[in-house]
Amino acid sequence: MNKKQILCTGLSLALLLSSVITTPASIAAGKYFKIQYIHSKKKVKKKAINARYNNKVISTKIPGYIEGSTSMYSAYWIFGHCSSLGTKYSYSSSKKRVTLQRNSQKLVMTLNSRTATLNGKKFTLPSAPRKIRYIAKKKNYIMVPGDIVAKKLGLNYSWNNRLLSGVISKGSTAKPAPSTPSNTKPQTSNPSGSTTKITASESDYSIRIKKPDGLSSSSISSNDDYWNKQLQIIIDGDYRNFFNTASNRTIKDSLTYKVSYLNGKTYINLITSTIKGFSVTQTDSYIYVKYAAPKDMFYRIIVIDAGHGGKDSGATGNGYIEKNMTLKIVQNIKTNFDSDPLYKVYYTRLSDWYPTLTERYDLANTVNADRFLSVHINSADSASAKGTETLYKDYKTYANVIHSSSLSGMGYTKGSSYDRSLVYRPGLAVLRGTKMMSALAEMGFISNSTESARIDARSEAIGSALYQSLCNSFN
């Protein structure tokens, strides 16, 4: 093996480097870094992800990140710089066009557009290619959706959540992989790298909505308002007349369609009779929405409950209020899941209001969740009471996974005096009423001045640890 071949084993998310020495991305997977979208000037913080080939991280000048539910990677460093995958990269700055080739497959994408072509045939990308600025390095990079790009070029791609990596391997070049995931639930992993089993498309939709001329995809977003059993499509600008025109929509499945306008935005509310799972895709001409029962739409479903809320403050002590502390932790869990395409997560509350206990476990049962987690803070008459415990009814193994991460998030060691272990509590409503794996985490004691301050200071670490435990529970 020559020197260049040895250096090849340390590549970035696209492919092994076989001929050029590269510098690894300067930030580890799971760490946050800042980028700026060139087209909108918007600055955002992203969690770094890797790409792997032959069980090794592919070295690159910029880490990947999640955009919506799509893994984004450097087009050049993954599919241009590394030769082991047999891909070629070119870019036309005048046309803002990215071209990637592998054997007989030629993939052409345009910056900020979800419409691409494979060998001249159009298809829709899950996320548009973007030119971004890596703020720490003061350099620009073109990022592309790694999952579908790899598959369209005849490569295999899967997501490894434990490693926070897209895993690329060589597949057959005779036929490119399909752009939509299989409807068959995987036994151990999700081969599509996405939470969605069924993706809205030109051939499979519940409603198709025509777009006004000139309205860009970036001006349209959506919000799954599941407590109100509706999907909100949100459009920048006043398009009430256009979207109220019946000829501009085709409805296949039963739903209530309402249009409103508020604070510079047009809202299309698609109201269903029960909670549904939604998939939204766009072309230059249409918005496609597909809905079905959540379990039919998504591979893995989690419900997370921030204990108490609204009129129910929970325990209080040392200047802290339990409902606020549980909400802060759950919001930090959400920050992690927002960047993870493998899970559909429902939250009983993300603000200060009070869902009844019945509403909490009914939500989990209605969406047929795979996991349920309720977050609480303990209290005792003794100011010296301390430590973390996890309550369970039927699923002790799952509870133990949650408990280990709760201790880790708190900075405690398993088996120490702060480890209060698992506690069997079959009478608790949210454990008794849920029909899936469920647990209730008591992070520590609000009545202990040192521990309550520790919980508040470590809410981000606790959120990250609980996020990881929920992911690990599927393994």
Side-chain angles (χ1 to χ4, degrees):
M1 179 180 290
N2 61 35
K3 183 177 181 180
K4 289 183 179 179
Q5 289 173 325
I6 294 172
L7 290 169
C8 244
T9 59
L11 291 163
S12 152
L13 173 104
L15 331 187
L16 267 167
L17 172 62
S18 63
S19 59
V20 182
I21 299 174
T22 61
T23 303
S26 59
I27 188 167
K31 300 294 184 180
Y32 285 91
F33 67 108
K34 290 184 178 180
I35 66 170
Q36 181 179 34
Y37 294 106
I38 300 299
H39 73 291
S40 67
K41 306 300 182 185
K42 182 180 180 181
K43 295 180 180 180
V44 296
K45 186 167 69 171
K46 293 290 187 180
K47 180 190 287 187
I49 62 173
N50 287 329
R52 289 177 175 254
Y53 180 74
N54 279 0
N55 296 319
K56 295 185 181 292
V57 173
I58 300 171
S59 187
T60 182
K61 298 286 188 179
I62 180 173
Y65 58 85
I66 300 297
E67 186 76 61
S69 62
T70 304
S71 306
M72 302 292 289
Y73 297 98
S74 166
Y76 170 72
W77 285 102
I78 304 306
F79 300 105
H81 189 65
C82 303
S83 60
S84 295
L85 291 185
T87 55
K88 297 179 180 179
Y89 161 89
S90 63
Y91 175 66
S92 170
S93 57
S94 60
K95 297 180 180 179
K96 298 183 178 181
R97 183 174 295 165
V98 179
T99 302
L100 299 172
Q101 290 182 270
R102 182 172 184 262
N103 298 322
S104 61
Q105 308 304 324
K106 182 177 181 180
L107 175 60
V108 180
M109 298 171 285
T110 304
L111 292 189
N112 308 316
S113 172
R114 293 178 62 196
T115 299
T117 63
L118 181 69
N119 296 336
K121 186 176 180 180
K122 288 186 178 181
F123 69 96
T124 302
L125 297 165
S127 187
R130 303 288 189 196
K131 179 179 280 190
I132 63 98
R133 187 163 185 81
Y134 186 4
I135 294 175
K137 298 294 184 181
K138 299 181 180 179
K139 291 186 178 180
N140 296 342
Y141 297 89
I142 293 171
M143 310 297 285
V144 297
D147 181 346
I148 196 167
V149 166
K151 290 177 180 178
K152 289 293 185 180
L153 295 175
L155 299 164
N156 297 319
Y157 179 96
S158 62
W159 176 256
N160 187 309
N161 195 67
R162 182 177 64 84
L163 299 174
L164 290 179
S165 297
V167 180
I168 296 176
S169 60
K170 289 186 178 180
S172 169
T173 59
K175 182 180 178 182
S179 60
T180 55
S182 167
N183 287 343
T184 302
K185 184 174 181 179
Q187 296 301 306
T188 58
S189 64
N190 179 352
S192 72
S194 168
T195 183
T196 310
K197 290 181 186 178
I198 304 173
T199 303
S201 66
E202 297 178 26
S203 59
D204 187 13
Y205 61 84
S206 300
I207 180 171
R208 183 186 69 186
I209 305 170
K210 189 175 181 180
K211 293 167 63 174
D213 292 339
L215 182 62
S216 67
S217 296
S218 61
S219 298
I220 303 173
S221 60
S222 61
N223 171 47
D224 184 359
D225 183 13
Y226 44 87
W227 275 116
N228 291 309
K229 303 180 181 67
Q230 66 179 356
L231 178 75
Q232 289 183 317
I233 300 175
I234 307 163
I235 305 101
D236 295 338
D238 187 355
Y239 292 94
R240 280 172 290 184
N241 291 338
F242 182 90
F243 289 117
N244 266 321
T245 302
S247 60
N248 288 331
R249 60 183 181 270
T250 301
I251 299 177
K252 290 185 176 181
D253 298 331
S254 176
L255 55 80
T256 300
Y257 179 97
K258 291 184 177 181
V259 179
S260 60
Y261 177 78
L262 181 66
N263 297 330
K265 296 181 183 294
T266 302
Y267 292 82
I268 303 174
N269 291 340
L270 306 178
I271 306 167
T272 55
S273 58
T274 60
I275 295 176
K276 299 291 186 180
F278 293 95
S279 171
V280 182
T281 62
Q282 294 186 59
T283 65
D284 289 341
S285 302
Y286 293 99
I287 303 167
Y288 294 94
V289 180
K290 176 68 178 179
Y291 77 77
K295 203 62 178 178
D296 293 334
M297 291 294 297
F298 306 118
Y299 286 104
R300 295 170 171 176
I301 301 175
I302 298 169
V303 172
I304 301 175
D305 172 42
H308 307 282
K311 65 182 182 180
D312 178 9
S313 64
T316 59
N318 298 297
Y320 296 102
I321 303 173
E322 183 180 2
K323 68 173 184 177
N324 296 339
M325 300 180 85
T326 61
L327 181 59
K328 188 176 180 180
I329 291 169
V330 168
Q331 287 171 335
N332 279 298
I333 298 175
K334 183 177 184 296
T335 297
N336 288 274
F337 275 116
D338 284 349
S339 300
D340 194 325
L342 287 180
Y343 306 90
K344 172 62 178 177
V345 185
Y346 295 91
Y347 302 89
T348 60
R349 68 182 187 97
L350 288 170
S351 60
D352 187 18
W353 72 287
Y354 178 72
T356 67
L357 296 176
T358 302
E359 286 174 326
R360 296 173 202 245
Y361 62 72
D362 274 353
L363 172 64
N365 294 335
T366 297
V367 301
N368 197 8
D370 301 293
R371 305 286 188 271
F372 176 88
L373 173 63
S374 187
V375 179
H376 286 255
I377 313 297
N378 224 331
S379 184
D381 293 335
S382 171
S384 63
K386 64 182 182 181
T388 298
E389 63 188 30
T390 303
L391 315 184
Y392 74 101
K393 176 179 178 285
D394 296 315
Y395 301 97
K396 191 171 183 178
T397 301
Y398 168 62
N400 194 52
V401 172
I402 297 297
H403 184 65
S404 295
S405 290
S406 297
L407 288 168
S408 174
M410 285 292 292
Y412 294 156
T413 304
K414 198 161 188 178
S416 69
S417 61
Y418 293 95
D419 181 0
R420 297 172 65 92
S421 195
L422 304 184
V423 180
Y424 181 59
R425 291 287 298 277
L428 289 179
V430 293
L431 300 181
R432 184 185 70 247
T434 47
K435 299 177 181 179
M436 69 292 304
M437 291 187 184
S438 57
L440 188 150
E442 295 274 12
M443 300 312 307
F445 284 78
I446 203 170
S447 49
N448 183 310
S449 59
T450 301
E451 195 160 65
S452 58
R454 187 183 189 89
I455 297 168
D456 185 62
R458 294 183 64 88
S459 61
E460 185 174 341
I462 295 168
S464 295
L466 289 175
Y467 153 76
Q468 195 61 61
S469 70
L470 284 161
C471 298
N472 291 343
S473 74
F474 287 89
N475 297 327

